[in-house]
Amino acid sequence: MVIKSKESLHKTLEIHKNKEKTIGLVPTMGALHDGHLALIDFAYKFCDVVVVSIFVNPTQFNNSSDLEKYPRHVEKDAAFLKKHNFKTLVFTPNVEEVYADGLKSESYNFGSIVDHMEGEFRAGHFDGVGSVLKRLFAIVSPDKAFFGEKDYQQLIAVKTLVNITGQKVEIIGCPTNRNEFGLAQSSRNFRLSDTQLKEGELIFEALSQAKSMFDDYSILDIEREVNKKFQQSTLKLEYFSIVKTKDLIPTTTKEPKEAYRGFIAAFLGDVRLIDNMALN
């Protein structure tokens, strides 16, 4: 079922809520792929009803060109979801439905978790993400919301957001879904040629190498090896960072009993790709 207005969504969800059904939300910006389907299937393990929102959020793009190029195929996406699971509710609001008080980005104090990586290279991105999700959570009133670990920094920011806003929604992270080459599934992948999709496996290879080296080599050694791999490739590395998982602050030293993750952003042509992996 495709629902375009808040009013219609509320009427539909009220029926389920009166039956004490558990409501899940999978927020997306469309251009759906197998990674989204894995996310939806994961949501159904926890919820009776799953709402998939399709909304390209203007406030989280710091690059207007990126916003313009972002693929929009709402009808195709809706058919894709219906074929996969006809029970899924598809919410496709316009800007006025979501930003009823005017299109604007609010400011949030996320702390150190947004100071580096995406926060450093995409100014205002997380405030934009927080602004739209605060509104979507208010519109849908889900019990649980689901986000892929490919955007791990965003996942932690969203968990922080609900602590800031006090909204009663449980945020659940889902494992990254990858293609046959190990490249994380992303809507941006639609802009890559078959050759580029194969070249993109370098990102997964670099993270896997960092993981295999982590116990026996210094962080500086690992960073040198990753940088060397990209210098010899067609990809342009924007950043590679090893961070403490608890605060997402890059570090060059390892401490006992701390958890670490590696984060990468790289350009393949004009397409920017990100990924991350737990290292220990």
Side-chain angles (χ1 to χ4, degrees), residues 52-180:
V52 176
S53 63
I54 300 176
F55 178 71
V56 180
N57 176 39
T59 65
Q60 71 188 70
F61 287 85
N62 61 320
N63 185 327
S64 59
S65 175
D66 213 14
L67 173 60
E68 291 171 7
K69 291 179 181 177
Y70 198 89
R72 294 167 173 83
H73 311 290
V74 175
E75 291 183 3
K76 181 179 178 181
D77 287 340
F80 181 64
L81 291 175
K82 183 178 180 180
K83 184 178 181 180
H84 181 70
N85 191 322
F86 70 91
K87 297 186 300 179
T88 301
L89 299 178
V90 185
F91 181 45
T92 61
N94 59 27
V95 171
E96 290 72 28
E97 286 281 332
V98 176
Y99 289 93
D101 54 347
L103 183 60
K104 60 183 179 181
S105 181
E106 298 177 45
S107 180
Y108 298 94
N109 181 15
F110 290 113
S112 66
I113 60 171
V114 302
D115 287 344
H116 307 280
M117 288 98 73
E118 295 302 282
E120 180 179 349
F121 286 89
R122 301 177 69 184
H125 171 72
F126 289 108
D127 284 337
V129 170
S131 297
V132 71
L133 289 178
K134 174 186 173 183
R135 288 163 170 78
L136 287 175
F137 293 158
I139 292 169
V140 181
S141 295
D143 299 292
K144 306 175 190 294
F146 299 84
F147 297 84
E149 289 187 352
K150 177 185 79 71
D151 299 288
Y152 189 86
Q153 191 175 16
Q154 174 178 278
L155 169 64
I156 303 305
V158 177
K159 290 183 176 183
T160 305
L161 173 73
V162 297
N163 289 332
I164 293 171
T165 63
Q167 291 173 299
K168 304 300 181 183
V169 53
E170 181 184 0
I171 306 303
I172 299 177
C174 312
T176 300
N177 189 273
R178 302 181 180 279
N179 70 8
E180 61 186 303

Side-chain angles (χ1 to χ4, degrees), residues 23-38:
I23 309 298
L25 172 64
V26 178
T28 82
M29 293 203 298
L32 303 182
H33 48 70
D34 289 345
H36 290 112
L37 297 185

Side-chain angles (χ1 to χ4, degrees), residues 179-181 183 186-201 234-235 268-271 273:
N179 70 8
E180 61 186 303
F181 306 119
L183 182 65
S186 169
S187 298
R188 296 170 187 264
N189 294 1
F190 287 119
R191 294 167 54 192
L192 300 175
S193 68
D194 290 343
T195 299
Q196 287 176 317
L197 286 170
K198 180 71 169 64
E199 292 171 340
E201 70 181 329
T234 57
L235 283 78
L268 191 46
D270 65 346
V271 180
L273 303 172

Side-chain angles (χ1 to χ4, degrees), residues 207-226:
L207 288 169
S208 299
Q209 181 176 1
K211 183 180 180 72
S212 67
M213 293 178 65
F214 191 79
D215 288 341
D216 301 318
Y217 294 84
S218 73
I219 288 177
L220 290 176
D221 286 337
I222 297 170
E223 289 177 344
R224 275 193 290 269
E225 287 303 308
V226 168

Side-chain angles (χ1 to χ4, degrees), residues 220-258:
L220 290 176
D221 286 337
I222 297 170
E223 289 177 344
R224 275 193 290 269
E225 287 303 308
V226 168
N227 276 278
K228 187 187 301 182
K229 288 180 78 74
F230 278 88
Q231 288 168 3
Q232 299 168 349
S233 78
T234 57
L235 283 78
K236 180 182 178 183
L237 184 65
E238 186 171 64
Y239 65 75
F240 170 69
S241 296
I242 292 178
V243 308
K244 292 182 182 178
T245 304
K246 68 179 181 182
D247 56 19
L248 302 190
I249 296 177
T251 182
T252 57
T253 59
K254 292 185 283 188
E255 299 176 20
K257 299 182 180 179
E258 286 284 357

